[in-house]
Amino acid sequence: MASTVYGTCRCVMTAGTAFRQAGLSTFYHHTNFTSKLLSRQVASSASSIPHVCIVGSGPAGFYTAQHILKNHKEVQVDMIEKLPVPFGLVRFGVAPDHPEVKNCINQFTKTAQNERFGFIGNTTVGNDVSIAELKESYDAIILSYGAEDDRVLDIEGETLHGSYSARSFVGWYNGLPEDQDLKPDLSSDTAVIIGHGNVALDIARILLTPISILKHTDIAQHALEALEESKVKTVYLVGRRGPLQVAFTIKELREMTKLPDCKAILDPNDFHGLAAEIPNIPRPRKRLTELMLKTATEPPTTKETLTNKRWGLKFLRSPVKVIPSGDGKQVAGIQLAVNKLQKSGDYVKAIATDEIEELKCGLLLRSIGYKSRPIESSIPFDLQNGVIPNSGGKVSGCKGFYCSGWVRRGPTGVILNTMNDGFETGKALVDDINNGVLDISQSTSKGREKLLALLDKKGLVPVTFSDWQRIDELEKIRGEALGKPREKFVTVMEMLEAAFD
């Protein structure tokens, strides 16, 4: 099936107008805030200096900025973020019990402290400022805004109470403002997670980890309190293919096997015959399969037999229907088709049989992937694959536009993949500057100076990196009082009040 491409790149030719949505992004056009804004404006730069705008402040945006600033000694880079706080999925996606993964924030902070870098938070592209307006202010625009939607199962009953997306659930326990009011129903003893990726294992681990451990992480306090009252004791992770096709990594699986007071319930029959195949499997997959096989076949310890918490992996199963409760409003279970595997070249495909199983549960979470949205109709977008069409990070048919991260390649890989992706896009842009591919504007007013003046005219007050550092400091103080590394502000208004206090 041919991919559907949404929009064409016409922003260079037509001047768009931004519209401002009344709400949190405005935060009171107050005299004090206006004076702060004006004091942040930088002096006009020489007209030969390239000005680059990055939309999105997650890992992709920061790694792209890092490469550009390191490899071009004059370029000015501004980063626009819709929230008042930076770092994207590092802040709102990485599990709270994985603080070591968040260490990349230290490198991002060094990048942000470069005198040629500017952070412009609390500003939404496509709402507060249009793509066309950005093009009038910058020589190049890099789209690194990630994936804010999630894929759906598209089955009957998916919207019943008790059914949630992994993206929303992760945002809920990580303090993402848009998910703070999710209030997931944790009153059932059994949860089912559809998906065999790292995010699925993260969610299972958070559901089953003792509160005595979670309370020392940066998990949002509202989530901690809800999990403390949780009745969930059993978590099943359901995947449509077999043990050799799981998407999670050995680190996440090993953490599951070492959960305190929790027992693994893997069916040894699911691994029948795999021992003979293990020697021929590539090393990373080999070690992962060996650990699954060991977990499935080793007898439980005496302590494990006494625990009432458990988790299991179910293979070769695809969801076909969510079973409703008697009143038709609540999740009561899930119907699963039993699959068989069919090899097609190097790919192994799951084919549903006529056999159907039912699995009772009161909590259903779908962890089958995120997807990006089109940012504006002026930027081409492949709706089928959820990416911006590009070649090596250069947006197809749009001179001066680039993309990096998930919106470039799709929501796959870990932070290392995003780093390499960001560096590649950064290199493409620097090469275009050095080779004269980009026409550097001769305007005497552009970049940050011009954008801040535009925002001021609209009555908008952006958040700077210094403002973020005030938010950061207050979150750490709040966390210290609770014995946590930080207690995040979970509403935009709280963030802004902290920034401008």
Side-chain angles (χ1 to χ4, degrees), residues 439-455:
D439 297 323
I440 305 304
S441 170
Q442 296 303 305
S443 170
T444 57
S445 174
K446 62 177 182 176
R448 196 180 318 155
E449 176 187 11
K450 188 168 184 177
L451 178 58
L452 290 179
L454 174 65
L455 295 176

Side-chain angles (χ1 to χ4, degrees), residues 77-80 112 114 116-120 448:
V77 176
D78 293 329
M79 181 175 285
I80 300 180
N114 188 304
R116 293 182 286 124
F117 178 95
F119 177 74
I120 302 172
R448 196 180 318 155

Side-chain angles (χ1 to χ4, degrees), residues 374-392:
I375 191 167
E376 263 194 19
S377 61
S378 60
I379 300 297
F381 194 81
D382 182 339
L383 289 171
Q384 179 176 320
N385 296 309
V387 297
I388 294 174
N390 71 93
S391 176

Side-chain angles (χ1 to χ4, degrees), residues 318 320 334-338 353-358:
S318 292
V320 293
I334 181 88
Q335 281 188 355
L336 302 169
V338 178
T353 68
D354 293 332
E355 186 179 353
I356 299 291
E357 294 180 349
E358 291 189 358

Side-chain angles (χ1 to χ4, degrees), residues 232-398:
V232 176
K233 303 297 181 185
T234 302
V235 178
Y236 291 108
L237 298 104
V238 177
R240 58 192 172 89
R241 296 192 290 170
L244 292 180
Q245 289 82 40
V246 295
F248 53 73
T249 54
I250 192 169
K251 176 181 181 293
E252 279 68 24
L253 178 64
R254 188 178 291 118
E255 287 177 323
M256 291 298 296
T257 66
K258 294 182 177 180
L259 273 176
D261 303 321
C262 193
K263 176 174 62 176
I265 44 171
L266 277 65
D267 186 350
N269 292 325
D270 289 333
F271 300 88
H272 180 71
L274 283 188
E277 294 187 42
I278 285 178
N280 302 317
I281 300 174
R283 188 170 183 271
R285 176 71 64 179
K286 176 182 178 181
R287 293 173 59 230
L288 176 62
T289 307
E290 287 173 338
L291 180 57
M292 281 191 286
L293 182 60
K294 178 182 177 183
T295 304
T297 56
E298 275 192 347
T301 64
T302 302
K303 187 175 182 180
E304 286 175 336
T305 60
L306 298 176
T307 185
N308 63 348
K309 286 189 176 183
R310 57 187 193 157
W311 64 275
L313 299 172
K314 288 190 173 291
F315 302 99
L316 299 174
R317 301 293 187 273
S318 292
V320 293
K321 178 184 176 181
V322 180
I323 302 169
S325 56
D327 61 6
K329 297 180 180 179
Q330 170 76 37
V331 171
I334 181 88
Q335 281 188 355
L336 302 169
V338 178
N339 299 331
K340 62 180 181 180
L341 295 181
Q342 184 180 88
K343 196 165 185 180
S344 177
D346 294 332
Y347 184 75
V348 178
K349 187 177 181 180
I351 304 295
T353 68
D354 293 332
E355 186 179 353
I356 299 291
E357 294 180 349
E358 291 189 358
L359 188 58
K360 291 183 178 180
C361 65
L363 176 63
L364 178 67
L365 294 142
R366 63 179 185 274
S367 182
I368 56 173
Y370 297 176
K371 65 178 182 180
S372 299
R373 306 170 182 166
I375 191 167
E376 263 194 19
S377 61
S378 60
I379 300 297
F381 194 81
D382 182 339
L383 289 171
Q384 179 176 320
N385 296 309
V387 297
I388 294 174
N390 71 93
S391 176
K394 301 166 78 166
V395 177
S396 301
C398 286

Side-chain angles (χ1 to χ4, degrees), residues 134 144 189 234 419 443:
L134 288 181
S144 304
D189 64 352
T234 302
M419 179 183 73
S443 170

Side-chain angles (χ1 to χ4, degrees), residues 115-127:
E115 62 182 6
R116 293 182 286 124
F117 178 95
F119 177 74
I120 302 172
N122 193 43
T123 303
T124 303
V125 175
N127 184 0

